[in-house]
Each structure stands twice: as structure tokens, then as C-alpha cells.
Amino acid sequence: MIFPRSDINKHLSNLGLVSSDTVMIHGDAGVAGQYIFKDSSSPLSSFILNLLDYFNNGTIIVPNFTYSATDGKIFEVDKTPSKIGKFSEIFRLMKGGHRSRHPIFSVSCFGEHAKYYSDTITTDCFGKDTLFDKLYINNVKILTLGCSLDRVTFTHFVEQNLNIPYRHFKYFKAHIKDKNKKNLEEVAVRYFVRNLNLDTNLDLSDLETEAIQAKKLVKKPFGRFLARTISADDFFNEAEKMIKKNKYALIKK
């Protein structure tokens, strides 16, 4: 089934989202293919432009994770492509955005507070003054478009803050190259990595159920796909309740 472009705004509004929201979006490129965009050579670019227009009084944050430091590669802020899908990469390439300098978990931001969310420390992944810390402090809304709640990286902020036993700290040497700068910046990045001896892949199906029952998470159709939205504060609190009962509540183990 194909939907008119105007339905994008209806679907966003149906999730309780408004133009002034700050929202972090985890998206699947396939969502864009279900809408009609006249005279468009790139439905995904048109879809992203529609998102930017909808949140014209707010801020959009989209992951552009590269994992450069973990791969031993130079992170070029304006050039290194995202490794997490087409939606992420096309968003990165849109003009007018601010990309963060994090050599593992960079993000691109548009809108009123784009500079604030892109200006984060590069020496930690999920601790104080990181992007994820700012999401929590400002109770940013988290939106998944066509992908499961398991894609929400904010989960690792929760895990680090609650000191779960199946992850530990590891340091990576990172090299960051900024546009128009000849010299590289070298930093040591602290990353709360998973224990490879356990099946630590996320499974947030129980968290989703609990959050829906508590009326903290909204899950509704977004055309042929599903979308979910939950505030960072509610995500943290619901996850914390589960972890206090079972430290392995967020993984498949």
C-alpha cells in the first residue's frame, strides 16, 4: 500500500510528537518507500526533508555511528560514512546539519539545539557530558521508525549507569580529523563494551511490554511499518525497575 506524503505528518502526530520536540530517531530506510513524493529522485531524501519540516521548531538527532576507534581507523568528521544503514547515511549528507566529533558514536543534528547536542566529549561513550547523558538530562524523546526497540543505543547509557555485570570498560586509541585541519587529535575513548563470552545481544521485548502497560511507550502503525516513541527519562526508569529485579533483564541470556 502506498500513502500520500501528507500521511507522514499524520503518523508523527498520532505518536504524540509535536514540532517543538527534540527527538532522537533510529530509522529504517524502507519506511520512506511507502510514500508518494512527486518529482523526487530520492524518496529517502524527501522523507528526511519532511521530518525536518515537521520538527521545524525542535531538534532532530540521528545516529551516524562509525566505530572508527574500535577499528583502528581515523575518524574524519566531515567524511567518514555511517556504518549503520542508509537512513543514517543520507541524513548525515543533508546540508545544514551538525555532526558530532565522537570517534565511535557520532550523531548528526538539525534544528534549534543542534549545536548543543553535537558538542559532546570524545573521551567517553555513555558517561557524563556524552550525547546520551544529554538525552537523559533533557528528557529527549526516542523514536524508532520501522525498527525494533533493540536498536535504541540509549540502552547502553542505562547499563553503564546501573553498572550491569555483563559489560566492562575498555579504552581505545582514537584519531580525529576535522575539516580544514592538518593535524589529527589523538584521544583515549572509554567504551563500556560487552562480554563476548555471553550472549549479550539486546532483547527489549519485555521492556517494551512493561513500558506500554505503564503508558510510557507509544507503539503505533507508521504506514505499513511500526513506530515507537518513549522519553529518555521513562526509558531509563522502566529499564531500571527491571534491572533491579534481574541484572540480565535487557539481554537474551
Side-chain angles (χ1 to χ4, degrees):
M1 186 175 179
I2 302 297
F3 300 89
R5 177 177 183 167
S6 59
D7 276 10
I8 299 174
N9 289 7
K10 292 179 183 178
H11 294 150
L12 291 167
S13 179
N14 195 38
L15 288 164
L17 298 167
V18 298
S19 65
S20 60
D21 280 334
T22 295
V23 57
M24 183 168 186
I25 303 176
H26 297 267
D28 187 299
V31 174
Q34 63 183 336
Y35 297 102
I36 300 171
F37 299 101
K38 293 182 180 180
D39 303 320
S40 174
S41 59
S42 173
L44 181 53
S45 294
S46 296
F47 178 72
I48 291 172
L49 286 172
N50 201 105
L51 293 176
L52 294 173
D53 183 63
Y54 184 86
F55 293 104
N56 57 18
N57 294 314
T59 305
I60 299 180
I61 306 160
V62 168
N64 292 156
F65 306 158
T66 65
Y67 306 104
S68 300
T70 62
D71 293 336
K73 296 180 179 179
I74 295 172
F75 173 56
E76 297 191 58
V77 180
D78 64 320
K79 292 183 179 180
T80 304
S82 169
K83 283 191 173 182
I84 56 172
K86 193 173 182 180
F87 178 87
S88 169
E89 178 61 4
I90 295 300
F91 191 91
R92 180 186 76 84
L93 295 172
M94 302 298 286
K95 293 182 179 179
H98 293 260
R99 191 185 196 183
S100 67
R101 301 176 68 253
H102 200 283
I104 299 176
F105 294 106
S106 66
V107 295
S108 285
C109 310
F110 282 79
E112 185 176 359
H113 302 296
K115 189 173 181 180
Y116 167 76
Y117 286 103
S118 60
D119 184 14
T120 59
I121 66 169
T122 58
T123 53
D124 199 359
C125 294
F126 307 114
K128 183 177 173 55
D129 295 326
T130 62
L131 177 276
F132 300 97
D133 186 39
K134 289 186 175 184
L135 298 182
Y136 181 60
I137 290 171
N138 296 282
N139 200 21
V140 169
K141 291 184 178 179
I142 299 167
L143 171 64
T144 66
L145 291 176
C147 55
S148 75
L149 202 65
D150 295 351
R151 287 272 295 276
V152 175
T153 317
F154 182 74
T155 308
H156 303 320
F157 171 83
V158 178
E159 292 173 321
Q160 179 168 315
N161 273 266
L162 299 180
N163 195 30
I164 48 80
Y166 50 86
R167 283 180 174 262
H168 61 276
F169 288 112
K170 184 175 180 178
Y171 284 83
F172 293 88
K173 183 185 293 186
H175 294 91
I176 304 169
K177 187 177 188 302
D178 290 288
K179 186 178 181 180
N180 300 325
K181 287 188 178 181
K182 294 182 179 180
N183 296 329
L184 299 178
E185 179 186 358
E186 182 177 307
V187 298
V189 188
R190 188 177 74 156
Y191 184 1
F192 200 47
V193 299
R194 61 194 182 99
N195 185 341
L196 298 178
N197 294 320
L198 297 174
D199 184 1
T200 56
N201 290 313
L202 293 177
D203 181 358
L204 304 186
S205 54
D206 288 342
L207 174 61
E208 180 175 301
T209 299
E210 293 289 331
I212 290 174
Q213 290 178 351
K215 298 184 178 180
K216 303 298 184 181
L217 183 147
V218 176
K219 178 181 179 181
K220 291 186 177 181
F222 204 92
R224 301 192 308 270
F225 295 80
L226 285 173
R228 300 161 182 82
T229 184
I230 183 172
S231 72
D233 190 55
D234 286 335
F235 189 106
F236 189 101
N237 291 338
E238 292 301 314
E240 183 178 32
K241 290 177 188 176
M242 295 178 63
I243 289 174
K244 283 183 176 179
K245 296 178 182 178
N246 173 13
K247 293 182 178 180
Y248 300 90
L250 304 184
I251 62 173
K252 292 182 177 180
K253 180 183 180 300

